[in-house]
């Protein structure tokens, strides 16, 4: 995951957006402060769990060159919080200015970070705790009617989202580490096998994409703008493991017809024959999940596939990946009211009945779960479970303005990154909404990525 995320607000969000100049009243300020404290606390509780369930050697080791040592993430979380909340918001002097460069994600690629003089685990914990104690004091005294950074509590929401994004990154590291199981969580509730329609028609016409008034929305989600989208069909649920196994068994990885030239070259170069963490044992497929080997569950959304694999499956199935605009229209558009909602189910914040979020389960729920979270058109699991690859490159919206720093979004725009939407089971609600945009290289498979397919409405 590359950047920060959303906002858990009331059922209908009427709070002032960053940059509007509106000053909240006392009650609104108290609610903003309460939400910020809750979001920051939830994030820190998850960080603590992810960094306390293994011993120090596991924290300082690099479990994959694709990922940082867990102890780097821990201190980076504290350093970002210090830079934005203590220095930028409160104007305080730096606590540890000498470590800024160590935890600059742009200065040091992940593969190099184990060789840096990083803070050892106990010192990293003390540093992050010290920063948090001071940040909560800053929050208590902050008026939410000042600069754009503090309006509607944006900086505090940004930091909560940033920490939750690193919590997802650290969960990916846990999946990549070898050794015995360190994390446990209850499985999603079992549901009957989904027997609804395999696809739904999304009507053509304009809709409002992005947002200009979601208080904690990030720069790449802004501004709201009208998009014209022709009619199209989209899968009711994400593609399942059973469906993807059919692609494998039909020789999908051996037939260049289904692959882009770059995709074909990539899978041949790396000898890819199945999703990451899968292996065949006799007549069945097994997978490794957080230190446990298990039979691949047929009715779960497929996980740990790269963009090239998702695109090849869609071609094999006579379909295609949805564009980012199509995905968002399917997720947010209510044709009966001709408006875009915050989430597929409406404007209310995510609740457990809506989506699989927050690492409360360490796996996707079966396809067809969460009927309370379906869109007005009947599309399910658009939020949570798996990040969904789209056909689109990561590009700015018309009128985009970088805020509060170019390195969050702007430096990634271009054809080198594909957009993922919807969030995964590893994403907290504060970092997931109908407008939230994630992006990654099309070769990435360690992320909690899956997909659904689409086809044009006139086909």
């Amino acid at each position: 995951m590359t950047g920060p995320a959303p906002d858990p607000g009331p059922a209908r969000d009427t709070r002032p957006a960053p940059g509007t100049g509106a000053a909240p009243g006392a009650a609104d300020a108290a609610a903003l402060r309460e939400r910020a404290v809750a979001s920051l606390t939830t994030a820190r509780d998850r960080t603590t769990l992810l960094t306390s369930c293994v011993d120090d050697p596991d924290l300082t080791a690099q479990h994959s060159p694709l990922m940082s040592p867990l102890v780097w993430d821990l201190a980076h979380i504290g350093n970002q919080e210090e830079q934005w909340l203590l220095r930028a918001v409160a104007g305080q002097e730096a606590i540890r200015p000498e470590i800024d460069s160590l935890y600059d994600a742009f200065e040091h690629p992940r593969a190099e970070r184990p060789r840096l003089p990083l803070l050892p685990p106990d010192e990293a914990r003390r540093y992050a705790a010290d920063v948090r104690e001071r940040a909560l004091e800053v929050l208590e005294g902050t008026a939410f009617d000042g600069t754009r950074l503090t309006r509607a509590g944006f900086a505090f929401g940004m930091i909560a989202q940033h920490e939750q994004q690193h919590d997802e990154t650290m969960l990916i590291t846990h999946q990549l580490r070898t050794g015995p199981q360190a994390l446990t969580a209850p499985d999603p509730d079992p549901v009957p096998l989904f027997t609804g329609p395999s696809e739904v028609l999304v009507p053509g016409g304009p809709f409002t994409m992005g947002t200009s008034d979601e208080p904690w929305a990030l720069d790449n989600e802004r501004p709201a703008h009208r998009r014209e989208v022709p009619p199209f069909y989209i899968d009711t649920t994400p593609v399942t493991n059973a469906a993807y196994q059919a692609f494998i068994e039909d020789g999908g990885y051996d037939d260049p017809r289904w692959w882009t030239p770059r995709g074909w070259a990539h899978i041949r170069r790396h000898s890819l024959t199945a999703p990451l963490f899968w292996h065949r044992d006799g007549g069945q497929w097994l997978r490794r999940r957080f230190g446990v080997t298990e039979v691949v569950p047929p009715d779960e959304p497929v996980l740990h596939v790269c963009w090239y694999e998702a695109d090849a499956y869609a071609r094999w199935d006579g379909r295609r990946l949805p564009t980012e605009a199509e995905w968002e229209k399917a997720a947010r558009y209510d044709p009966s009211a001709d408006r875009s909602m915050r989430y597929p189910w409406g404007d209310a914040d995510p609740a457990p009945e809506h989506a699989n979020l927050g690492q409360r389960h360490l796996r996707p729920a079966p396809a067809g779960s969460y009927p309370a979270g379906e869109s007005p058109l009947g599309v399910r699991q658009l939020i949570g479970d798996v990040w969904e690859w789209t056909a689109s490159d990561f590009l700015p919206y018309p009128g985009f303005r970088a805020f509060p720093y170019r390195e969050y979004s702007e430096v990634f725009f271009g054809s080198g990154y594909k957009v993922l939407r919807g969030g995964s089971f590893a994403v907290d609600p504060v970092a997931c909404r109908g407008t939230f945009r994630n992006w990654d290289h099309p070769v990435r498979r360690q992320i909690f990525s899956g997909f659904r397919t689409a086809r044009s409405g006139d086909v």
Side-chain angles (χ1 to χ4, degrees):
M1 181 130 183
T2 313
D7 148 44
R12 181 60 179 159
D13 198 339
T14 57
R15 295 162 295 177
T20 61
D28 291 334
L32 282 168
R33 194 167 284 111
E34 181 180 352
R35 188 171 80 256
V37 169
S39 298
L40 290 166
T41 302
T42 298
R44 186 53 49 87
D45 288 347
R46 194 67 203 175
T47 299
T48 300
L49 175 63
L50 291 165
T51 55
S52 64
C53 63
V54 292
D55 57 19
D56 285 1
D58 262 341
L59 290 178
T60 57
Q62 185 173 48
H63 299 282
S64 165
L66 296 172
M67 311 303 292
S68 307
L70 291 167
V71 74
W72 185 93
D73 288 287
L74 175 59
H76 169 77
I77 285 167
N79 187 250
Q80 285 291 105
E81 186 166 331
E82 183 196 347
Q83 290 194 46
W84 287 105
L85 300 188
L86 304 190
R87 301 184 203 173
V89 171
Q92 296 180 9
E93 293 294 321
I95 300 173
R96 299 285 299 267
E98 75 280 5
I99 70 171
D100 287 355
S101 65
L102 295 177
Y103 299 101
D104 186 328
F106 285 86
E107 187 170 339
H108 302 288
R110 287 174 174 175
E112 297 178 2
R113 292 171 189 170
R115 298 191 293 274
L116 299 173
L118 302 177
L119 300 182
D122 284 345
E123 192 172 350
R125 292 187 185 99
R126 288 194 297 270
Y127 170 63
D130 182 25
V131 171
R132 173 53 56 85
E133 183 177 0
R134 300 183 192 209
L136 292 177
E137 292 174 357
V138 170
L139 173 61
E140 187 61 32
T142 298
F144 299 121
D145 58 354
T147 68
R148 186 180 175 194
L149 197 60
T150 58
R151 237 169 263 149
F154 175 80
F156 300 94
M158 179 183 73
I159 288 300
Q161 293 175 73
H162 174 264
E163 181 163 354
Q164 287 287 7
Q165 288 173 337
H166 276 271
D167 289 343
E168 181 173 14
T169 298
M170 288 192 285
L171 190 65
I172 293 170
T173 301
H174 274 279
Q175 170 63 10
L176 288 164
R177 65 178 284 274
T178 57
Q181 183 179 25
L183 293 167
T184 60
D187 287 342
D189 292 336
V191 297
L193 184 67
F194 181 69
T195 57
S198 62
E199 63 179 3
V200 301
L201 174 65
V202 180
F207 86 108
T208 299
M209 186 173 184
T211 181
S212 294
D213 57 13
E214 184 77 20
W216 290 355
L218 304 166
D219 60 2
N220 64 63
E221 300 169 69
R222 299 173 179 272
H225 58 286
R226 298 290 278 175
R227 283 283 182 97
E228 184 76 29
V229 178
F232 66 98
Y233 290 90
I234 191 166
D235 290 340
T236 308
T237 68
V239 170
T240 64
N241 289 321
Y244 199 84
Q245 285 179 35
F247 167 67
I248 298 173
E249 303 304 331
D250 195 45
Y253 280 86
D254 301 313
D255 193 335
R257 289 182 297 165
W258 313 128
W259 302 82
T260 66
R262 288 186 177 181
W264 181 248
H266 177 71
I267 69 161
R268 306 318 281 178
R269 184 183 311 116
H270 297 280
S271 302
L272 304 187
T273 59
L276 186 61
F277 306 116
W278 286 29
H279 70 275
R280 194 190 292 272
D281 181 25
Q284 65 182 352
W285 284 100
L286 304 179
R287 71 177 181 187
R288 182 170 58 82
R289 184 177 62 85
F290 299 110
V292 175
T293 298
E294 60 189 18
V295 175
V296 171
D299 56 344
E300 277 187 15
V302 68
L303 192 62
H304 296 302
V305 291
C306 70
W307 185 90
Y308 292 127
E309 291 169 294
D311 179 68
Y313 173 94
R315 294 168 187 260
W316 169 81
D317 199 31
R319 298 169 70 82
R320 58 177 174 79
L321 296 178
T323 66
E324 183 182 13
E326 287 174 335
W327 188 97
E328 186 167 325
K329 186 169 186 180
R332 299 184 62 213
Y333 183 63
D334 180 359
S336 65
D338 189 27
R339 74 178 185 95
S340 292
M341 305 181 299
R342 295 178 69 212
Y343 298 97
W345 54 85
D347 295 325
D349 295 331
E353 67 269 19
H354 292 135
N356 181 8
L357 294 166
Q359 302 186 21
R360 70 177 188 271
H361 311 299
L362 295 178
R363 64 194 306 158
S369 297
Y370 304 106
E374 73 177 19
S375 75
L377 296 169
V379 188
R380 295 194 180 186
Q381 292 169 285
L382 286 157
I383 299 292
D385 286 306
V386 295
W387 285 107
E388 298 185 14
W389 288 109
T390 72
S392 300
D393 296 336
F394 184 49
L395 299 172
Y397 290 159
F400 167 84
R401 293 177 59 190
F403 179 79
Y405 56 103
R406 290 185 63 248
E407 290 79 10
Y408 178 66
S409 302
E410 188 173 355
V411 298
F412 298 101
F413 290 145
S415 60
Y417 296 88
K418 293 295 185 181
V419 173
L420 302 102
R421 300 297 298 263
S424 72
F425 65 86
V427 177
D428 187 80
V430 76
C432 179
R433 55 185 157 266
T435 58
F436 186 80
R437 309 172 75 194
N438 190 13
W439 64 95
D440 214 327
H441 294 291
V443 300
R444 291 289 186 251
R445 306 205 301 165
Q446 83 277 15
I447 60 178
F448 300 115
S449 53
F451 64 100
R452 71 181 73 216
T453 67
R455 65 183 176 95
S456 299
D458 56 355
V459 176

